[in-house]
Amino acid sequence: MDEQLNLIDTHCHVHFDNYDNDIETVLADSAVAGVNRLICVGCSLKDSQRAADFAKNRAGVWATAGAHPHDGADYLSDPMSADKLKKLLANPKVVAIGEIGLDYYRDITPKLDQEKTLRSQIEIGLDTSLPFVFHVREAWDDFWRIFDSYKGIHGVIHSYSAPPNRLTEVLGRGLYASLNGLMTYTKDESWLEAAKKVPADKLILETDAPFLTPVPFRGRRCEPKHLVETCKFLADLRNEEPAVLASLSTTNAVRLFGLSEESLA
Ligand SMILES: [Zn+2]
């Protein structure tokens, strides 16, 4: 029998309605697989409230709060957004600000609005001691220009998927890199090259469920339990034992997000 891993899914969306019919099973399966703690990431302020409510009475589940770049128009049009975000960040179950960032790939929100949305949330977040969860897609140069105009930001680049030169930029700013199932099926060798190079004290793991289902479960809805496959794939890629990778990523996640020992039932 495989040895049991102890993992934290640092970025999932199991509070989405994709799981409304079987969430208790999803959580139980996660615990059985050794994925004992979950962070439910909010994508809009409304969704963040939902994530916080979902986490409220569940041991081993936490939430983040923030507006994704795709939600920039809504964030900017609501005069209450800043107050709503501040209130969410004061919730004891909310352990990070995010996911926030820039996404020029889908380009759903105009670039300038993405920047305004990001800056507003960075400024609010910096008044707390919470870490940031960043989403950056095809927007690195603008992202660093904005990031570097502030001091004291700590956090993670979620779904890290870029060549090694970007990793150098991430690490140079003290950020963590979070890897997910995308690595198990990407055709981009440079991303895998970077995944090999993430230092042991800066690597964390996530699923981004319901998205980015790892091999061999492509075509199905992603769940936190699938983190085990991603961990095994990356351990093999990095020439490490899965238990070692699990352990270091868990230690890093606990350090970054300040999670307690409590875990899924
Ligand atoms: Zn996500």
Side-chain angles (χ1 to χ4, degrees):
M1 204 183 117
D2 277 3
E3 102 187 87
Q4 177 78 301
L5 302 174
N6 174 19
L7 289 161
I8 301 176
D9 188 350
T10 63
H11 189 122
C12 67
H13 306 281
V14 292
H15 59 290
F16 280 7
D17 49 19
N18 307 55
Y19 303 93
D20 277 356
N21 295 328
D22 62 347
I23 184 58
E24 299 310 329
T25 307
V26 168
L27 295 176
D29 289 352
S30 181
V32 167
V35 184
N36 298 306
R37 289 177 270 184
L38 311 177
I39 299 177
C40 291
V41 171
C43 296
S44 66
L45 297 185
K46 194 173 166 207
D47 183 59
S48 299
Q49 185 64 56
R50 184 171 169 157
D53 292 344
F54 179 82
K56 188 173 180 200
N57 292 316
R58 293 180 196 273
V61 182
W62 291 269
T64 74
H68 188 283
H70 294 338
D71 197 61
D74 273 358
Y75 182 88
L76 295 175
S77 67
D78 180 355
M80 295 305 291
S81 286
D83 288 337
K84 286 179 184 171
L85 180 57
K86 285 177 197 167
K87 188 166 171 243
L88 278 160
L89 297 178
N91 183 313
K93 274 286 195 170
V94 171
V95 294
I97 302 122
E99 54 185 301
I100 66 173
L102 300 175
D103 191 321
Y104 294 173
Y105 175 73
R106 298 264 297 280
D107 215 7
I108 289 170
T109 308
K111 287 180 184 177
L112 199 59
D113 285 350
Q114 293 195 34
E115 177 164 350
K116 281 186 197 160
T117 305
L118 174 59
R119 284 187 180 278
S120 165
Q121 296 181 95
I122 287 176
E123 286 160 22
I124 291 165
L126 281 172
D127 284 338
T128 74
S129 55
L130 295 173
F132 289 81
V133 175
F134 290 114
H135 170 107
V136 183
R137 197 152 181 213
E138 298 190 5
W140 288 98
D141 292 334
D142 277 355
F143 179 73
W144 293 134
R145 173 177 56 76
I146 297 164
F147 183 100
D148 290 341
S149 69
Y150 297 97
K151 282 201 171 62
I153 300 176
H154 69 297
V156 56
I157 302 292
H158 126 80
S159 196
Y160 181 83
S161 42
N165 64 314
R166 294 296 182 193
L167 181 66
T168 304
E169 296 170 355
V170 168
L171 299 171
R173 289 165 174 88
L175 296 169
Y176 290 74
S178 184
L179 301 174
N180 61 35
L182 190 48
M183 291 297 143
T184 70
Y185 59 89
T186 181
K187 301 273 188 290
D188 193 324
E189 288 294 329
S190 75
W191 295 3
L192 297 173
E193 215 34 61
K196 283 186 205 171
K197 293 191 160 102
V198 181
D201 63 345
K202 289 294 178 193
L203 191 159
I204 61 176
L205 297 174
E206 62 171 61
T207 59
D208 206 13
F211 312 111
L212 307 177
T213 313
V215 172
F217 303 111
R218 299 291 302 145
R220 296 195 219 167
R221 176 189 67 175
C222 188
E223 296 181 24
K225 69 179 178 187
H226 295 142
L227 191 58
V228 173
E229 300 306 322
T230 299
C231 179
K232 287 180 178 166
F233 174 88
L234 289 169
D236 191 46
L237 179 78
R238 292 165 56 88
N239 216 355
E240 288 166 346
E241 287 300 318
V244 171
L245 180 57
S247 164
L248 68 88
S249 65
T250 292
T251 301
N252 294 338
V254 166
R255 185 193 314 119
L256 177 62
F257 295 108
L259 306 181
S260 68
E261 287 286 319
E262 69 170 36
S263 62
L264 296 174

